[in-house]
Amino acid sequence: MELKKHVQDLLVIEVTRLNKRHFLLDLRAPEKFPLILPGQFVQVLVQGSASTFLRRPFSIHSVDYSRNTLRLLVQIKGEGTRHLAELKTGDHLNLIYPLGNSFSLPFTKDVLLVGGGCGVAPLLFLAQFLNQNNIRPTILLGFRTKEEVSEIETYSRFGNVHVITDDGTEGEKGLVIDHSMFQRERLDFKKIYCCGPDAMMKAVAKIARMHRIECEVSLENTMACGFGVCLCCITPTDKGNERVCMEGPVFNINRLTW
Amino acid sequence: MPDLSVNIAGLNFRNPVTTASGTFGYGDEFRDFIDLGRLGGIFVKAVTGKNRDGNAYPRMAETSTGMLNSVGLQNKGVDHFCREIYPRIKDFNTHIIVNVSGSTVEEYVEVAERINELENIPAIELNISCPNVKLGGMAFGTIPAMATEVTAEVRKVYKKVLMVKLSPNVTSITDLAKAVADGGADVITLINTLLGMAIDIERRRPVLSTITGGLSGPAIKPVALRMVWQVHKAVHIPIIGLGGIMNATDAIEFMLAGASAIQVGTANFIDPTVSVKIVDGIEAYMERHKIKAVTDLIGALRTE
Ligand SMILES: Cc1cc2nc3c(=O)[nH]c(=O)nc-3n(C[C@H](O)[C@H](O)[C@H](O)COP(=O)(O)OP(=O)(O)OC[C@H]3O[C@@H](n4cnc5c(N)ncnc54)[C@H](O)[C@@H]3O)c2cc1C
Ligand SMILES: Cc1cc2nc3c(=O)[nH]c(=O)nc-3n(C[C@H](O)[C@H](O)[C@H](O)COP(=O)(O)O)c2cc1C
Ligand code: FES
């Protein structure tokens, strides 16, 4: 489905610091939102930062149609995200949205969401969407350490949440694929949605293949435009090189070469 | 109302603002953002003889006020263009100009011949300057004799307006400009990207899969402007100028240096509506300076 894309100034409603490296950005649109799907992303113009030339892509963390707001979950990586962390209520932020395809609705209720690092961002919106379709997913979230574990209550409204941290300071210890749910002979899921660093998604894809579970991943290739014209963000698929910003960011692992 | 129209080699453009190949897709990707009918023209993504997958990911590295790319002419070939893409874009209310690329003279000629048959394509832009393909491509754009040859061979089969896009990766841009003019080019486009590179020190690896790539954006504007100025003094065919144009001021600079029209490239990624803003900005400038025709700006730089 092709949705009309907008270039718009959105009003910064609130900036909420979650921990040293992460914050939430609540933004309000001047007019009623178009339909936005889970897995889609926005391209943010970072103004006033000399070294940030291109826009920065971020997944849509959640959408509140009644308040006409959307929320981004941002991890501070470099200049651009550091600049965004300085935004104040009342500032404006220019966005191109909604971009990309979306996660597909599953034909099963046995659903697992796996997220690591800032890869958790699109999973909240997906969990909301699944709830609206009477599915309560299992949600496995990986964090570096206890200090970074956040929004667990929010996720818990939509699914059964499990936490794992690299250092074991909260929940189980290890990487997401080390979680005990994966150590069983049989997994009770028929669909896995996964988002995070490439290495993590590849590892989860391997588990999904082994258990013949359908699996969708959301890629985060570096982008110049974000709306399909520069061909910088490609990934090899069964149909040749496809654009992560248009044919993706969500791909069924069967279509990827990994 | 000031007159923004320009006539380039017999082709009438409603204004001098067009969009650069490889940065505007086939135009339809921008229909959510702007009215394409407000543009002078659209230069679509490079078309080659056969399908090309392009280079491996990563293909992009951001730089200070610019970016490097190594897309490498990814496209589905001229057959696919004529069959699938042309019907979809042929009735846009603006000039659609096809960027023609290749690795051999034969490939350029073949593609040009096929595009010549398409009624609603009034011109082609020969890309003899792509830094991102191993074979040919840039060789045609850096050796004057080869530039003349490929232009002359295409000239034999191509009956409409023939534009040739030059590479800045040469010692003397005027030698290349003269070479393509000798080969029969009607118009010169300049510049394509500047060859550059970026390194990730954490991994001690190049950022791009191809190690080197093409630099675009405001970082290259002074070089592009200088080349337009030099070529304007050296040859007497019209010039379409580009390289780092972000706003109307930049566009007007190119026209003063000698460009009859301009292309907006990388700026489209940052603001997909920028091309139309540039049209408005040029009009506002003309009103402010009481300039009746935009053609009065072409090469109007005062140097004495
Ligand atoms: C479709 C998509 C969705 C995304 N969603 C989110 C999100 O919801 N929340 C979030 O925090 N981040 C997300 N990202 C990643 C985010 O865009 C980058 O972290 C951000 O652009 C970095 O900008 P910067 O200026 O702070 O860092 P830079 O100075 O540009 O880079 C700092 C470091 O981060 C690395 N980096 C830059 N871009 C990316 C990227 N695309 N992927 C991985 N590493 C990168 C660079 O190589 C460098 O090492 C997403 C990326 C994509 C493509
Ligand atoms: C991602 C990308 C793809 C490009 N692809 C092409 C191409 O297919 N053919 C071509 O002649 N030039 C291509 N170019 C070069 C541009 O058309 C233009 O010459 C160059 O980017 C300089 O202008 P700018 O600084 O305004 O972008 C490409 C540039 C970029 C950034
Ligand atoms: S980022 Fe430009 S095509 Fe995907």
Side-chain angles (χ1 to χ4, degrees):
Chain A
M1 186 173 16
E2 282 271 341
L3 304 172
K4 186 174 154 65
K5 302 177 180 78
H6 298 257
V7 201
Q8 234 169 37
D9 281 335
L10 274 73
L11 180 68
V12 177
I13 302 290
E14 207 175 345
V15 187
T16 315
R17 199 61 180 240
L18 296 173
N19 51 59
K20 270 203 208 80
R21 290 197 310 146
H22 298 87
F23 62 96
L24 298 172
L25 260 183
D26 287 319
L27 305 168
R28 176 172 295 148
E31 47 196 71
K32 233 171 106 58
F33 274 139
L35 177 65
I36 301 175
L37 299 169
Q40 289 193 296
F41 66 98
V42 303
Q43 274 278 54
V44 174
L45 184 66
V46 183
Q47 264 162 329
S49 155
S51 65
T52 310
F53 176 61
L54 298 167
R55 285 179 185 256
R56 294 293 188 262
F58 299 100
S59 304
I60 295 168
H61 191 38
S62 65
V63 177
D64 184 339
Y65 286 102
S66 63
R67 294 171 62 220
N68 225 30
T69 59
L70 63 76
R71 173 173 283 187
L72 306 179
L73 166 61
V74 181
Q75 181 177 83
I76 300 174
K77 275 252 183 175
E79 250 321 281
T81 44
R82 231 189 322 274
H83 231 79
L84 294 177
E86 302 294 309
L87 284 169
K88 300 273 175 292
T89 303
D91 288 345
H92 283 87
L93 202 57
N94 190 269
L95 260 61
I96 307 178
Y97 75 99
L99 299 170
N101 68 351
S102 61
F103 293 107
S104 64
L105 200 61
F107 296 104
T108 169
K109 288 192 186 287
D110 304 320
V111 174
L112 172 66
L113 314 191
V114 185
C118 67
V120 300
L123 297 184
L124 179 62
F125 191 18
L126 174 62
Q128 275 177 339
F129 180 74
L130 291 173
N131 267 220
Q132 285 155 12
N133 289 281
N134 301 316
I135 297 166
R136 195 174 158 81
T138 300
I139 306 173
L140 172 60
L141 303 173
F143 300 93
R144 239 189 226 180
T145 181
K146 182 184 175 73
E147 210 249 314
E148 297 199 345
V149 177
S150 46
E151 297 185 282
I152 298 304
E153 306 77 51
T154 318
Y155 284 100
S156 300
R157 295 216 303 269
F158 307 107
N160 308 320
V161 179
H162 301 265
V163 170
I164 183 162
T165 49
D166 292 358
D167 59 4
T169 43
E170 185 152 341
E172 293 190 17
K173 178 176 167 149
L175 305 174
V176 288
I177 50 157
D178 299 325
H179 196 272
S180 54
M181 72 168 71
F182 292 128
Q183 313 314 321
R184 300 182 209 137
E185 217 152 280
R186 263 198 54 217
L187 293 187
D188 296 327
F189 305 107
K190 297 206 173 65
K191 178 107 188 194
I192 299 178
Y193 297 92
C194 178
C195 191
D198 264 14
M200 184 200 111
M201 291 194 286
K202 282 180 182 162
V204 170
K206 204 169 145 194
I207 293 175
R209 281 222 176 82
M210 200 165 75
H211 292 275
R212 293 168 204 256
I213 301 171
E214 196 170 316
C215 179
E216 287 179 19
V217 294
S218 178
L219 304 187
E220 292 196 352
N221 286 12
T222 48
M223 296 182 173
C225 70
F227 47 89
V229 298
C230 74
L231 307 185
C232 287
C233 62
I234 54 104
T235 192
T237 71
D238 56 357
K239 290 188 196 148
N241 281 337
E242 286 192 299
R243 300 165 295 184
V244 168
C245 70
M246 289 290 281
E247 286 77 43
V250 179
F251 289 92
N252 189 304
I253 56 166
N254 294 332
R255 299 211 40 235
L256 298 173
T257 50
W258 359 303
Chain B
M1 267 252 303
D3 178 10
L4 268 83
S5 69
V6 286
N7 188 293
I8 300 175
L11 195 58
N12 205 48
F13 290 75
R14 70 166 62 81
N15 63 54
V17 180
T18 67
T19 55
S21 175
T23 67
F24 210 71
Y26 297 105
D28 42 1
E29 294 89 343
F30 281 79
R31 284 213 280 192
D32 283 352
F33 304 124
I34 58 170
D35 171 7
L36 300 178
R38 296 217 43 217
L39 297 177
I42 296 172
F43 289 75
V44 301
K45 177 74 194 159
V47 176
T48 54
K50 297 251 151 32
N51 174 70
R52 290 206 196 196
D53 292 333
N55 296 316
Y57 179 84
R59 292 177 170 185
M60 195 277 287
E62 189 177 18
T63 69
S64 13
T65 67
M67 60 174 275
L68 290 159
N69 88 82
S70 59
V71 171
L73 303 180
Q74 179 178 333
N75 80 104
K76 296 205 162 101
V78 68
D79 262 344
H80 180 266
F81 179 83
C82 295
R83 232 175 334 106
E84 305 288 333
I85 296 168
Y86 175 67
R88 185 173 105 201
I89 65 176
K90 73 182 180 50
D91 295 320
F92 287 170
N93 177 24
T94 189
H95 290 312
I96 305 288
I97 298 169
V98 176
N99 185 261
V100 171
S101 295
S103 308
T104 60
V105 173
E106 294 72 35
E107 187 178 1
Y108 279 105
V109 169
E110 179 204 337
V111 178
E113 239 175 334
R114 295 289 307 279
I115 304 294
N116 190 54
E117 292 160 17
L118 304 177
E119 196 182 343
N120 292 4
I121 307 288
I124 57 171
E125 179 183 63
L126 276 197
N127 173 14
I128 59 165
S129 49
C130 186
N132 296 323
V133 279
K134 280 207 194 75
L135 256 176
M138 195 149 80
F140 289 108
T142 52
I143 303 167
M146 287 181 76
T148 306
E149 187 198 340
V150 69
T151 309
E153 290 303 315
V154 169
R155 180 76 285 177
K156 284 183 199 156
V157 301
Y158 191 72
K159 309 298 175 206
K160 301 180 220 172
V161 177
L162 176 58
M163 306 176 170
V164 179
K165 184 169 179 181
L166 299 183
S167 166
N169 303 305
V170 295
T171 314
S172 168
I173 193 70
T174 51
D175 287 353
L176 269 300
K178 286 177 190 152
V180 301
D182 287 347
D186 298 314
V187 179
I188 290 173
T189 304
L190 70 164
I191 61 175
N192 208 313
T193 54
L194 272 163
L195 200 57
M197 122 179 217
I199 294 174
D200 177 346
I201 61 164
E202 298 306 319
R203 295 164 53 244
R204 293 193 212 170
R205 290 187 155 276
V207 178
L208 300 174
S209 69
T210 47
I211 306 178
T212 61
L215 183 63
S216 64
I220 69 170
K221 195 189 96 179
V223 177
L225 205 54
R226 180 263 296 175
M227 290 189 166
V228 168
W229 169 242
Q230 289 178 324
V231 170
H232 175 66
K233 286 189 298 179
V235 298
H236 295 287
I237 58 177
I239 298 166
I240 299 181
L242 78 155
I245 295 177
M246 297 297 283
N247 50 45
T249 306
D250 295 337
I252 293 162
E253 286 181 46
F254 275 83
M255 294 197 69
L256 292 174
S260 297
I262 59 99
Q263 294 180 4
V264 185
T266 304
N268 291 304
F269 304 158
I270 290 144
D271 179 1
T273 68
V274 71
S275 50
V276 168
K277 289 178 184 159
I278 292 175
V279 176
D280 293 340
I282 293 175
E283 187 171 334
Y285 171 86
M286 290 170 67
E287 275 167 359
R288 196 151 45 83
H289 287 270
K290 305 204 169 24
I291 297 164
K292 289 203 182 64
V294 80
T295 48
D296 291 345
L297 292 174
I298 303 169
L301 184 70
R302 299 173 179 144
T303 52
E304 67 289 338

